[in-house]
Amino acid sequence: METVSENACFGGVQGVYKHRSSATGTDMTFAVFMPEEAKDGPVPVLWFLSGLTCTHENAMTKAGAQTWAAEQGIAIIFPDTSPRGEDVADDEAYDLGQGAGFYIDATQEPWSKNFKMWTYTAEELPALIAEKFEIDMSRQSITGHSMGGHGALTMAMALPGRFKSVSAFAPICNPTQSDWGRKQFAAYWGDETKWGPHDATLLMKSEGFDGPMLIDTGTNDQFWDLLGAEAFAAAFAAKRQEGIVRFQKGYDHSYFFISSFMEDHMNFHAEALWA
């Protein structure tokens, strides 16, 4: 693991790191914020999965999460959203290829060679984090934005017992019924019968989440029709899922929205992680 940068941040350290991934077959970059408490021993961790077109850097610099993580003594991990490089398959569209890994493992060419973001995010990177950082892996929570909200919700429900809590900002939560999902799943997986359990609404109907959940979506979100918020809210209520689904009046899909409610989400996760 190579250290790209480390900066003092709210008494802790905001670092950026690079390593060679066996899952993606590429170099992968990720960021970790370690609070001051990590000097004395392992701390809980919150994963933040970013959305379409993003890298590790977007949420690291725009979400304002470190302020509240430092206050709560919690580490934050910001993975990248896809493999990258000149030899990695890509597409001219912003919502397919590099920057659009959708946190799934592709099986169709040309994507199957490198696009293994489920394996990378759910298995390989956690193992590296456990080895290299003072983090208590028995106390993990997860959040994400848009495509990253999709990843956070599906991982939380598909990996029972892994996470203490899950939240999301404007998540893509019914991708099998949306152009933000059907297009990518068809490209990465081919035939619809092979798409697997990577739809948060379907997972909520069948599995739910054994813990608290917090979902925020803005009523002025310019991508509302692509998110599936109404279908997920209905499944959430029908499952009697513990948690809150909130529609925030006037907010859109941007990081201004995320930073407005980041304190709420950090406090929500801290309550579960420190319980």
Side-chain angles (χ1 to χ4, degrees), residues 87-167:
D87 297 329
V88 176
D90 201 7
D91 190 272
E92 293 181 358
Y94 75 95
D95 57 355
L96 186 66
Q98 296 186 38
F102 261 77
Y103 304 99
I104 61 176
D105 285 355
T107 59
Q108 295 290 109
E109 294 292 343
W111 313 106
S112 58
K113 178 182 177 182
N114 304 114
F115 280 72
K116 304 292 186 182
M117 288 304 294
W118 180 275
T119 296
Y120 176 74
T121 310
E123 299 177 16
E124 184 179 11
L125 186 55
L128 181 66
I129 293 293
E131 177 186 350
K132 299 292 187 180
F133 295 89
E134 284 292 317
I135 287 177
D136 180 356
M137 299 301 281
S138 71
R139 291 185 290 169
Q140 300 183 66
S141 290
I142 191 166
T143 188
H145 171 231
S146 194
M147 178 185 73
H150 145 77
L153 292 174
T154 55
M155 286 187 183
M157 287 186 277
L159 300 170
R162 170 82 62 96
F163 301 106
K164 301 291 187 182
S165 53
V166 57
S167 74

Side-chain angles (χ1 to χ4, degrees), residues 60-227:
M60 180 185 77
T61 59
K62 296 179 181 179
Q66 294 91 338
T67 309
W68 313 114
E71 185 174 287
Q72 299 288 356
I74 294 170
I76 310 178
I77 301 169
F78 306 95
D80 202 349
T81 57
S82 78
R84 300 178 190 276
E86 292 183 2
D87 297 329
V88 176
D90 201 7
D91 190 272
E92 293 181 358
Y94 75 95
D95 57 355
L96 186 66
Q98 296 186 38
F102 261 77
Y103 304 99
I104 61 176
D105 285 355
T107 59
Q108 295 290 109
E109 294 292 343
W111 313 106
S112 58
K113 178 182 177 182
N114 304 114
F115 280 72
K116 304 292 186 182
M117 288 304 294
W118 180 275
T119 296
Y120 176 74
T121 310
E123 299 177 16
E124 184 179 11
L125 186 55
L128 181 66
I129 293 293
E131 177 186 350
K132 299 292 187 180
F133 295 89
E134 284 292 317
I135 287 177
D136 180 356
M137 299 301 281
S138 71
R139 291 185 290 169
Q140 300 183 66
S141 290
I142 191 166
T143 188
H145 171 231
S146 194
M147 178 185 73
H150 145 77
L153 292 174
T154 55
M155 286 187 183
M157 287 186 277
L159 300 170
R162 170 82 62 96
F163 301 106
K164 301 291 187 182
S165 53
V166 57
S167 74
F169 300 88
I172 300 171
C173 44
N174 197 192
T176 60
Q177 302 302 314
S178 166
D179 286 344
W180 271 0
R182 295 188 65 83
K183 172 184 177 179
Q184 294 81 4
F185 289 3
Y188 296 148
W189 283 330
D191 186 79
E192 187 169 347
T193 60
K194 302 176 182 178
W195 287 3
H198 287 274
D199 183 304
T201 297
L202 299 180
L203 281 167
M204 178 57 68
K205 290 178 179 179
S206 62
E207 305 296 335
F209 176 65
D210 185 19
M213 185 178 285
L214 173 62
I215 311 296
D216 275 323
T217 304
T219 60
N220 283 10
D221 194 304
Q222 57 270 48
F223 304 110
W224 178 276
D225 292 340
L226 295 169
L227 299 179

